[in-house]
PDB file of all heavy atoms in Angstrom:
ATOM      1  N   GLY A 394     105.444 -45.976  30.947  1.00  0.00           N
ATOM      2  CA  GLY A 394     106.812 -46.358  30.576  1.00  0.00           C
ATOM      3  C   GLY A 394     107.700 -46.409  31.808  1.00  0.00           C
ATOM      4  O   GLY A 394     107.237 -46.362  32.956  1.00  0.00           O
ATOM      5  N   PHE A 395     108.982 -46.489  31.547  1.00  0.00           N
ATOM      6  CA  PHE A 395     109.968 -46.681  32.631  1.00  0.00           C
ATOM      7  C   PHE A 395     109.996 -45.498  33.603  1.00  0.00           C
ATOM      8  O   PHE A 395     109.651 -45.633  34.788  1.00  0.00           O
ATOM      9  CB  PHE A 395     111.335 -46.929  31.971  1.00  0.00           C
ATOM     10  CG  PHE A 395     112.523 -46.731  32.846  1.00  0.00           C
ATOM     11  CD1 PHE A 395     112.584 -47.319  34.115  1.00  0.00           C
ATOM     12  CD2 PHE A 395     113.615 -45.972  32.402  1.00  0.00           C
ATOM     13  CE1 PHE A 395     113.701 -47.141  34.920  1.00  0.00           C
ATOM     14  CE2 PHE A 395     114.733 -45.799  33.202  1.00  0.00           C
ATOM     15  CZ  PHE A 395     114.771 -46.375  34.462  1.00  0.00           C
ATOM     16  N   ILE A 396     110.380 -44.315  33.107  1.00  0.00           N
ATOM     17  CA  ILE A 396     110.546 -43.191  34.052  1.00  0.00           C
ATOM     18  C   ILE A 396     109.180 -42.699  34.534  1.00  0.00           C
ATOM     19  O   ILE A 396     108.981 -42.416  35.716  1.00  0.00           O
ATOM     20  CB  ILE A 396     111.341 -42.029  33.413  1.00  0.00           C
ATOM     21  CG1 ILE A 396     112.692 -42.535  32.885  1.00  0.00           C
ATOM     22  CG2 ILE A 396     111.563 -40.923  34.440  1.00  0.00           C
ATOM     23  CD1 ILE A 396     113.524 -41.469  32.170  1.00  0.00           C
ATOM     24  N   ASP A 417      98.492 -42.461  28.230  1.00  0.00           N
ATOM     25  CA  ASP A 417      99.536 -43.265  27.576  1.00  0.00           C
ATOM     26  C   ASP A 417      98.910 -44.103  26.474  1.00  0.00           C
ATOM     27  O   ASP A 417      97.848 -44.707  26.636  1.00  0.00           O
ATOM     28  CB  ASP A 417     100.199 -44.167  28.643  1.00  0.00           C
ATOM     29  CG  ASP A 417     101.522 -44.744  28.163  1.00  0.00           C
ATOM     30  OD1 ASP A 417     101.515 -45.457  27.133  1.00  0.00           O
ATOM     31  OD2 ASP A 417     102.548 -44.506  28.800  1.00  0.00           O
ATOM     32  N   LYS A 418      99.630 -44.189  25.364  1.00  0.00           N
ATOM     33  CA  LYS A 418      99.141 -44.955  24.207  1.00  0.00           C
ATOM     34  C   LYS A 418      99.306 -46.463  24.407  1.00  0.00           C
ATOM     35  O   LYS A 418      98.690 -47.260  23.709  1.00  0.00           O
ATOM     36  CB  LYS A 418      99.951 -44.500  22.983  1.00  0.00           C
ATOM     37  CG  LYS A 418      99.533 -45.096  21.670  1.00  0.00           C
ATOM     38  CD  LYS A 418     100.397 -44.505  20.541  1.00  0.00           C
ATOM     39  CE  LYS A 418     100.059 -45.130  19.201  1.00  0.00           C
ATOM     40  NZ  LYS A 418     100.890 -44.569  18.119  1.00  0.00           N
ATOM     41  N   THR A 420     102.177 -48.189  23.794  1.00  0.00           N
ATOM     42  CA  THR A 420     102.958 -48.774  22.699  1.00  0.00           C
ATOM     43  C   THR A 420     103.666 -49.998  23.282  1.00  0.00           C
ATOM     44  O   THR A 420     103.495 -50.313  24.463  1.00  0.00           O
ATOM     45  CB  THR A 420     104.024 -47.782  22.196  1.00  0.00           C
ATOM     46  OG1 THR A 420     104.989 -47.589  23.254  1.00  0.00           O
ATOM     47  CG2 THR A 420     103.420 -46.451  21.792  1.00  0.00           C
ATOM     48  N   GLY A 423     105.006 -49.214  26.631  1.00  0.00           N
ATOM     49  CA  GLY A 423     104.097 -48.900  27.724  1.00  0.00           C
ATOM     50  C   GLY A 423     103.618 -50.198  28.352  1.00  0.00           C
ATOM     51  O   GLY A 423     103.046 -51.042  27.680  1.00  0.00           O
ATOM     52  N   ASP A 443      96.606 -41.409  22.384  1.00  0.00           N
ATOM     53  CA  ASP A 443      97.794 -41.026  21.613  1.00  0.00           C
ATOM     54  C   ASP A 443      97.954 -39.506  21.683  1.00  0.00           C
ATOM     55  O   ASP A 443      97.004 -38.771  21.346  1.00  0.00           O
ATOM     56  CB  ASP A 443      97.559 -41.485  20.160  1.00  0.00           C
ATOM     57  CG  ASP A 443      98.762 -41.284  19.267  1.00  0.00           C
ATOM     58  OD1 ASP A 443      99.625 -40.449  19.597  1.00  0.00           O
ATOM     59  OD2 ASP A 443      98.814 -41.963  18.226  1.00  0.00           O
ATOM     60  N   ILE A 444      99.126 -39.025  22.068  1.00  0.00           N
ATOM     61  CA  ILE A 444      99.325 -37.564  22.123  1.00  0.00           C
ATOM     62  C   ILE A 444      99.245 -36.929  20.726  1.00  0.00           C
ATOM     63  O   ILE A 444      99.086 -35.723  20.598  1.00  0.00           O
ATOM     64  CB  ILE A 444     100.660 -37.153  22.811  1.00  0.00           C
ATOM     65  CG1 ILE A 444     101.872 -37.793  22.126  1.00  0.00           C
ATOM     66  CG2 ILE A 444     100.621 -37.455  24.293  1.00  0.00           C
ATOM     67  CD1 ILE A 444     103.200 -37.179  22.534  1.00  0.00           C
ATOM     68  N   PHE A 464     106.375 -37.002  29.369  1.00  0.00           N
ATOM     69  CA  PHE A 464     107.365 -38.068  29.167  1.00  0.00           C
ATOM     70  C   PHE A 464     107.162 -38.784  27.832  1.00  0.00           C
ATOM     71  O   PHE A 464     108.102 -39.374  27.308  1.00  0.00           O
ATOM     72  CB  PHE A 464     107.215 -39.169  30.236  1.00  0.00           C
ATOM     73  CG  PHE A 464     107.518 -38.772  31.650  1.00  0.00           C
ATOM     74  CD1 PHE A 464     106.491 -38.405  32.519  1.00  0.00           C
ATOM     75  CD2 PHE A 464     108.809 -38.808  32.131  1.00  0.00           C
ATOM     76  CE1 PHE A 464     106.761 -38.075  33.835  1.00  0.00           C
ATOM     77  CE2 PHE A 464     109.084 -38.479  33.443  1.00  0.00           C
ATOM     78  CZ  PHE A 464     108.057 -38.115  34.299  1.00  0.00           C
ATOM     79  N   THR A 468     111.639 -43.931  22.407  1.00  0.00           N
ATOM     80  CA  THR A 468     112.880 -43.646  23.147  1.00  0.00           C
ATOM     81  C   THR A 468     114.091 -44.504  22.781  1.00  0.00           C
ATOM     82  O   THR A 468     115.165 -44.271  23.333  1.00  0.00           O
ATOM     83  CB  THR A 468     112.637 -43.822  24.671  1.00  0.00           C
ATOM     84  OG1 THR A 468     112.287 -45.192  24.914  1.00  0.00           O
ATOM     85  CG2 THR A 468     111.564 -42.898  25.183  1.00  0.00           C
ATOM     86  N   THR A 483     105.486 -39.060  17.170  1.00  0.00           N
ATOM     87  CA  THR A 483     105.212 -38.886  18.608  1.00  0.00           C
ATOM     88  C   THR A 483     106.057 -37.777  19.207  1.00  0.00           C
ATOM     89  O   THR A 483     105.540 -36.881  19.881  1.00  0.00           O
ATOM     90  CB  THR A 483     105.441 -40.218  19.355  1.00  0.00           C
ATOM     91  OG1 THR A 483     104.379 -41.106  19.015  1.00  0.00           O
ATOM     92  CG2 THR A 483     105.471 -40.019  20.858  1.00  0.00           C
ATOM     93  N   ILE A 506     110.210 -33.313  29.303  1.00  0.00           N
ATOM     94  CA  ILE A 506     111.307 -34.226  29.650  1.00  0.00           C
ATOM     95  C   ILE A 506     112.156 -34.472  28.411  1.00  0.00           C
ATOM     96  O   ILE A 506     111.712 -35.098  27.449  1.00  0.00           O
ATOM     97  CB  ILE A 506     110.751 -35.562  30.210  1.00  0.00           C
ATOM     98  CG1 ILE A 506     109.789 -35.301  31.385  1.00  0.00           C
ATOM     99  CG2 ILE A 506     111.901 -36.481  30.612  1.00  0.00           C
ATOM    100  CD1 ILE A 506     110.401 -34.595  32.578  1.00  0.00           C
ATOM    101  N   SER A 507     113.383 -33.951  28.471  1.00  0.00           N
ATOM    102  CA  SER A 507     114.287 -34.117  27.338  1.00  0.00           C
ATOM    103  C   SER A 507     115.534 -34.903  27.775  1.00  0.00           C
ATOM    104  O   SER A 507     115.553 -35.505  28.855  1.00  0.00           O
ATOM    105  CB  SER A 507     114.638 -32.752  26.733  1.00  0.00           C
ATOM    106  OG  SER A 507     115.275 -32.937  25.487  1.00  0.00           O
ATOM    107  N   TYR A 533     116.649 -40.409  16.915  1.00  0.00           N
ATOM    108  CA  TYR A 533     115.989 -40.185  18.214  1.00  0.00           C
ATOM    109  C   TYR A 533     116.370 -38.812  18.763  1.00  0.00           C
ATOM    110  O   TYR A 533     115.506 -38.003  19.124  1.00  0.00           O
ATOM    111  CB  TYR A 533     116.385 -41.294  19.205  1.00  0.00           C
ATOM    112  CG  TYR A 533     116.099 -40.951  20.655  1.00  0.00           C
ATOM    113  CD1 TYR A 533     114.784 -40.805  21.109  1.00  0.00           C
ATOM    114  CD2 TYR A 533     117.134 -40.749  21.576  1.00  0.00           C
ATOM    115  CE1 TYR A 533     114.517 -40.480  22.448  1.00  0.00           C
ATOM    116  CE2 TYR A 533     116.883 -40.427  22.899  1.00  0.00           C
ATOM    117  CZ  TYR A 533     115.572 -40.294  23.331  1.00  0.00           C
ATOM    118  OH  TYR A 533     115.313 -39.969  24.645  1.00  0.00           O
ATOM    119  N   LYS A 537     114.081 -35.411  19.570  1.00  0.00           N
ATOM    120  CA  LYS A 537     113.964 -34.784  20.895  1.00  0.00           C
ATOM    121  C   LYS A 537     114.428 -33.323  20.841  1.00  0.00           C
ATOM    122  O   LYS A 537     113.842 -32.464  21.506  1.00  0.00           O
ATOM    123  CB  LYS A 537     114.787 -35.570  21.932  1.00  0.00           C
ATOM    124  CG  LYS A 537     114.283 -36.966  22.232  1.00  0.00           C
ATOM    125  CD  LYS A 537     112.929 -37.002  22.939  1.00  0.00           C
ATOM    126  CE  LYS A 537     112.991 -36.524  24.358  1.00  0.00           C
ATOM    127  NZ  LYS A 537     111.667 -36.699  25.049  1.00  0.00           N
ATOM    128  N   CYS A 560     118.027 -34.871  30.830  1.00  0.00           N
ATOM    129  CA  CYS A 560     118.601 -35.844  31.763  1.00  0.00           C
ATOM    130  C   CYS A 560     119.487 -36.848  31.032  1.00  0.00           C
ATOM    131  O   CYS A 560     119.309 -37.122  29.844  1.00  0.00           O
ATOM    132  CB  CYS A 560     117.475 -36.568  32.507  1.00  0.00           C
ATOM    133  SG  CYS A 560     118.103 -37.516  33.899  1.00  0.00           S
ATOM    134  N   THR A 561     120.417 -37.409  31.776  1.00  0.00           N
ATOM    135  CA  THR A 561     121.290 -38.465  31.266  1.00  0.00           C
ATOM    136  C   THR A 561     120.556 -39.814  31.321  1.00  0.00           C
ATOM    137  O   THR A 561     119.409 -39.891  31.774  1.00  0.00           O
ATOM    138  CB  THR A 561     122.554 -38.539  32.126  1.00  0.00           C
ATOM    139  OG1 THR A 561     122.133 -38.692  33.481  1.00  0.00           O
ATOM    140  CG2 THR A 561     123.394 -37.285  31.988  1.00  0.00           C
ATOM    141  N   ASN A 563     118.905 -42.982  32.453  1.00  0.00           N
ATOM    142  CA  ASN A 563     118.367 -43.452  33.730  1.00  0.00           C
ATOM    143  C   ASN A 563     118.488 -44.966  33.807  1.00  0.00           C
ATOM    144  O   ASN A 563     118.510 -45.648  32.779  1.00  0.00           O
ATOM    145  CB  ASN A 563     116.883 -43.123  33.830  1.00  0.00           C
ATOM    146  CG  ASN A 563     116.585 -41.683  34.215  1.00  0.00           C
ATOM    147  OD1 ASN A 563     115.718 -41.427  35.028  1.00  0.00           O
ATOM    148  ND2 ASN A 563     117.282 -40.728  33.638  1.00  0.00           N
TER     149      ASN A 563
HETATM  150  P1  NAD B 918     109.764 -45.529  27.696  1.00  0.00           P
HETATM  151  O1  NAD B 918     110.073 -45.901  26.289  1.00  0.00           O
HETATM  152  O2  NAD B 918     110.020 -46.508  28.776  1.00  0.00           O
HETATM  153  O3  NAD B 918     108.235 -45.090  27.827  1.00  0.00           O
HETATM  154  C1  NAD B 918     107.622 -44.228  26.886  1.00  0.00           C
HETATM  155  C2  NAD B 918     106.136 -44.209  27.216  1.00  0.00           C
HETATM  156  O4  NAD B 918     105.488 -43.306  26.298  1.00  0.00           O
HETATM  157  C3  NAD B 918     105.457 -45.575  27.050  1.00  0.00           C
HETATM  158  O5  NAD B 918     104.611 -45.828  28.137  1.00  0.00           O
HETATM  159  C4  NAD B 918     104.661 -45.425  25.755  1.00  0.00           C
HETATM  160  O6  NAD B 918     103.495 -46.232  25.706  1.00  0.00           O
HETATM  161  C5  NAD B 918     104.309 -43.939  25.796  1.00  0.00           C
HETATM  162  N1  NAD B 918     104.028 -43.399  24.455  1.00  0.00           N
HETATM  163  C6  NAD B 918     104.775 -43.561  23.335  1.00  0.00           C
HETATM  164  N2  NAD B 918     104.182 -42.949  22.305  1.00  0.00           N
HETATM  165  C7  NAD B 918     103.045 -42.369  22.784  1.00  0.00           C
HETATM  166  C8  NAD B 918     102.022 -41.575  22.196  1.00  0.00           C
HETATM  167  N3  NAD B 918     102.037 -41.271  20.884  1.00  0.00           N
HETATM  168  N4  NAD B 918     101.025 -41.141  22.985  1.00  0.00           N
HETATM  169  C9  NAD B 918     100.986 -41.448  24.295  1.00  0.00           C
HETATM  170  N5  NAD B 918     101.916 -42.215  24.901  1.00  0.00           N
HETATM  171  C10 NAD B 918     102.947 -42.667  24.148  1.00  0.00           C
HETATM  172  O7  NAD B 918     110.556 -44.166  27.970  1.00  0.00           O
HETATM  173  P2  NAD B 918     111.363 -43.684  29.238  1.00  0.00           P
HETATM  174  O8  NAD B 918     112.690 -44.315  29.214  1.00  0.00           O
HETATM  175  O9  NAD B 918     110.493 -43.804  30.443  1.00  0.00           O
HETATM  176  O10 NAD B 918     111.559 -42.146  28.866  1.00  0.00           O
HETATM  177  C11 NAD B 918     110.567 -41.183  29.208  1.00  0.00           C
HETATM  178  C12 NAD B 918     111.001 -39.818  28.718  1.00  0.00           C
HETATM  179  O11 NAD B 918     112.267 -39.485  29.272  1.00  0.00           O
HETATM  180  C13 NAD B 918     111.172 -39.733  27.193  1.00  0.00           C
HETATM  181  O12 NAD B 918     110.703 -38.484  26.765  1.00  0.00           O
HETATM  182  C14 NAD B 918     112.678 -39.852  26.994  1.00  0.00           C
HETATM  183  O13 NAD B 918     113.076 -39.192  25.817  1.00  0.00           O
HETATM  184  C15 NAD B 918     113.193 -39.152  28.244  1.00  0.00           C
HETATM  185  N6  NAD B 918     114.506 -39.601  28.706  1.00  0.00           N
HETATM  186  C16 NAD B 918     114.736 -40.930  28.969  1.00  0.00           C
HETATM  187  C17 NAD B 918     115.976 -41.324  29.467  1.00  0.00           C
HETATM  188  C18 NAD B 918     116.255 -42.769  29.791  1.00  0.00           C
HETATM  189  O14 NAD B 918     117.397 -43.103  30.126  1.00  0.00           O
HETATM  190  N7  NAD B 918     115.276 -43.670  29.775  1.00  0.00           N
HETATM  191  C19 NAD B 918     116.966 -40.375  29.698  1.00  0.00           C
HETATM  192  C20 NAD B 918     116.688 -39.012  29.418  1.00  0.00           C
HETATM  193  C21 NAD B 918     115.453 -38.647  28.942  1.00  0.00           C
END
Side-chain angles (χ1 to χ4, degrees):
F395 162 49
I396 305 177
D417 196 301
K418 184 178 177 180
T420 67
D443 186 338
I444 57 166
F464 294 97
T468 63
T483 288
I506 306 299
S507 192
Y533 163 66
K537 293 293 290 185
C560 192
T561 54
N563 280 223

